[in-house]
Amino acid sequence: MNKIKKLAFGNDHAAAEVRNTVKEYLTSIGYEIEDFGFEGEGVCDYPDYAVKVAEAVLHGKAEKGILICGTGIGMCISANKVHGIIAAPCWDEDTAALAAQHNRADILCLGSRKATVSELCHRIRIWLETSFEARHEARILKIKEIEKRQ
Ligand code: RB5
């Protein structure tokens, strides 16, 4: 049984084609999705979607967040601007697991132009099902200290 239930989801235009498949997959394995993503035609700006997902997680409207743009990079940079949020990039199964295990990432950022939709789904599932290792806690606290100094 999944421990986390509610996920905030966001995407930009680069992930408009994969968004529904990813959401349907996550729903099929038991997650509830709050969708903040772009579903129109044309283009949009990824920071607008990253901030919605990051603030939803920060304020407890969702337990974790998923952001997908072309590379995952712009979403990751933007989400990390929200103090209190740790967003991690992910480019394979290993970094999906490590983002949970070592970094306790609140949000996983993925690139739709860098993976197939089934790879994206698989990586998200690995991240969701991997536990944080407490031995990394001191490093996370140091990240929070950096935020307090700003
Ligand atoms: C949009 O073309 C692209 O720049 C965006 O999806 C993302 O990859 C940015 O990091």
Side-chain angles (χ1 to χ4, degrees):
M1 193 161 118
N2 305 320
K3 282 190 237 157
I4 297 160
K5 277 286 166 201
K6 182 122 189 233
L7 304 172
F9 180 90
N11 63 280
D12 74 353
H13 57 279
E17 269 184 37
V18 300
R19 54 175 261 112
N20 287 333
T21 307
V22 174
K23 283 196 316 163
E24 279 158 23
Y25 171 72
L26 292 170
T27 304
S28 78
I29 58 169
Y31 293 95
E32 190 186 331
I33 309 289
E34 180 142 16
D35 184 6
F36 296 95
F38 173 79
E39 55 184 342
E41 292 186 3
V43 299
C44 65
D45 299 325
Y46 55 79
D48 297 338
Y49 301 89
V51 72
K52 285 180 188 169
V53 167
E55 288 181 347
V57 174
L58 186 70
H59 300 309
K61 291 180 187 153
E63 289 150 88
K64 298 243 177 234
I66 292 154
L67 286 166
I68 312 180
C69 62
T71 58
I73 296 171
M75 288 294 199
C76 193
I77 293 168
S78 306
N80 276 311
K81 297 293 179 193
V82 176
H83 279 193
I85 288 296
I86 295 177
C90 164
W91 52 88
D92 55 23
E93 294 177 13
D94 196 34
T95 48
L98 289 169
Q101 215 168 49
H102 287 205
N103 309 111
R104 199 168 61 199
D106 303 299
I107 297 176
L108 194 68
C109 303
L110 304 114
S112 63
R113 294 175 178 156
K114 296 291 162 195
T116 65
V117 69
S118 70
E119 286 170 335
L120 295 175
C121 292
H122 188 52
R123 291 171 196 176
I124 294 168
R125 184 169 191 166
I126 289 171
W127 169 66
L128 288 168
E129 294 181 354
T130 302
S131 301
F132 178 61
E133 287 178 356
R135 68 194 170 98
H136 296 283
E137 179 78 34
R139 292 155 187 159
I140 304 301
L141 292 175
K142 287 191 176 187
I143 294 172
K144 306 288 177 193
E145 286 303 317
I146 295 169
E147 281 181 346
K148 283 187 201 152
R149 290 211 299 266
Q150 306 311 304

